[in-house]
Amino acid sequence: PTDEIKRQAEAALCALNRRRHLENHFWIKDKNSQVRQMKPLKRGQLMLVTLLRYCREVWKIPARILVYKSRQIGMSTVIEADLYLEVMKRGLNGLVVAHDLSTAQRIHEILKRFHDHYDLPKPEIERSNKKELKFKGNEGYIEVITANKIHAARGRTIHIGHISELAFYTEGAEVMASLFQAVPDTPESTVIIETTPN
């Protein structure tokens, strides 16, 4: 088979298997500053991927997940990878809320790295800056903001949201109220709150 047929076959397999997709086509920068494939997924990452699949495909319910985690287990990374795929493939609106500016910038770098190294068919980037990633010809986008900018979500529809390090927000209740007003209560919607203890 030609390389293009192989790519199409791999894309079809990945559409059926999110673990295969993440492990073989998403690249991370590890603790040793090496850029490598995101494999193998860690136990906690696999649990989250499985739970998301059940919410979306089996139970067909809105995914509302709280991840209480220790540091450096790659949970934020796998959440961003899932968000990237959902926005790219389905044209959803994604929002990532970080507790501070440096974390927001790091998350944007993770998303940009995913796109730069992704080797299956993908749309071109229409817009990429420190707070947004938008694909060309795709109605969806990923916006990365800090917790003190959460009011920017008011009046919009957010299909998939990632609240990063909630325990470190100064106005956590207000942030959550603003986000949930923007997220529809439909089976396609996802909100993942992840935090280390504080």
Side-chain angles (χ1 to χ4, degrees):
T2 66
D3 287 344
E4 183 55 30
I5 291 173
K6 287 179 181 175
R7 272 172 44 116
Q8 290 175 5
E10 177 63 15
L13 287 170
C14 287
L16 299 171
N17 187 327
R18 183 64 52 106
R19 178 180 183 174
R20 178 189 184 109
H21 206 160
L22 296 176
E23 288 186 336
N24 294 314
H25 303 286
F26 281 78
W27 292 69
I28 61 170
K29 188 173 185 179
D30 66 19
K31 294 176 188 178
N32 300 316
S33 293
Q34 300 297 312
V35 177
R36 62 170 179 83
Q37 288 176 310
M38 188 166 66
K39 67 177 173 184
L41 290 181
K42 298 175 183 174
R43 182 173 178 267
Q45 293 173 319
L46 285 172
M47 290 172 66
L48 179 62
V49 169
T50 301
L51 181 56
L52 284 168
R53 184 177 70 80
Y54 268 80
C55 288
R56 293 168 179 161
E57 298 172 20
V58 179
W59 301 323
K60 299 188 185 313
I61 60 172
R64 303 293 184 260
I65 300 170
L66 173 62
V67 179
Y68 193 56
K69 64 186 182 74
S70 57
R71 291 187 51 77
Q72 303 296 323
I73 63 168
M75 197 57 72
S76 295
T77 304
V78 79
I79 293 169
E80 298 313 324
D82 178 80
L83 186 145
Y84 173 90
L85 276 175
E86 291 295 298
V87 171
M88 180 179 66
K89 299 291 186 185
R90 299 174 55 208
L92 302 180
N93 299 338
L95 179 69
V96 182
V97 183
H99 68 288
D100 61 22
L101 185 59
S102 66
T103 303
Q105 290 170 344
R106 184 181 59 80
I107 288 171
H108 183 269
E109 289 168 8
I110 289 170
L111 291 164
K112 185 73 168 58
R113 185 180 303 111
F114 287 159
H115 188 79
D116 290 345
H117 291 277
Y118 190 75
D119 59 350
L120 294 176
K122 63 184 175 184
E124 293 179 39
I125 289 181
E126 179 179 306
R127 192 169 48 250
S128 177
N129 53 49
K130 291 181 180 177
K131 66 175 193 171
E132 186 180 25
L133 185 68
K134 171 107 176 64
F135 300 115
K136 196 175 284 186
N138 183 320
E139 290 298 317
Y141 60 86
I142 303 169
E143 187 172 2
V144 184
I145 63 174
T146 58
N148 62 354
K149 300 283 186 190
I150 189 61
H151 299 296
R154 289 188 192 271
R156 290 190 289 158
T157 300
I158 304 299
H159 303 107
I160 181 165
H162 172 204
I163 303 298
S164 176
E165 295 293 1
L166 177 64
F168 295 90
Y169 293 9
T170 54
E171 302 290 334
E174 187 176 342
V175 169
M176 295 309 300
S178 296
L179 178 69
F180 277 107
Q181 288 175 13
V183 178
D185 193 27
T186 60
E188 297 79 24
S189 68
T190 301
V191 176
I192 301 175
I193 303 163
E194 56 87 14
T195 189
T196 47
N198 183 26

